[in-house]
Amino acid sequence: MEVSVASKNSVSINETPGVVTVITKEEIQNSGARDLIDVLSLVPGFGFGMDM
């Protein structure tokens, strides 16, 4: 499997510099996500906070 990470060059998934989570179009549609925060909540271990 090859991925593009912040560049136009494809590299092996073993050569990527960090954790990459792929959320497919089907996963987004099936989740009922309404915005980006809903989509990001699908990523295990990802936390979202806001400063007020």
Side-chain angles (χ1 to χ4, degrees):
M1 177 178 192
E2 291 194 352
V3 296
S4 293
V5 179
S7 73
K8 294 182 180 181
N9 301 325
S10 293
V11 296
S12 160
I13 198 162
N14 294 331
E15 298 176 88
T16 57
V19 176
V20 175
T21 299
V22 176
I23 303 172
T24 66
K25 175 182 175 179
E26 290 78 19
E27 288 175 311
I28 294 170
Q29 289 174 334
N30 292 337
S31 75
R34 296 172 292 155
D35 54 29
L36 182 58
I37 295 172
D38 289 345
V39 173
L40 293 176
S41 71
L42 300 172
V43 178
F46 185 88
F48 196 90
M50 295 173 50
D51 289 337
M52 299 188 106

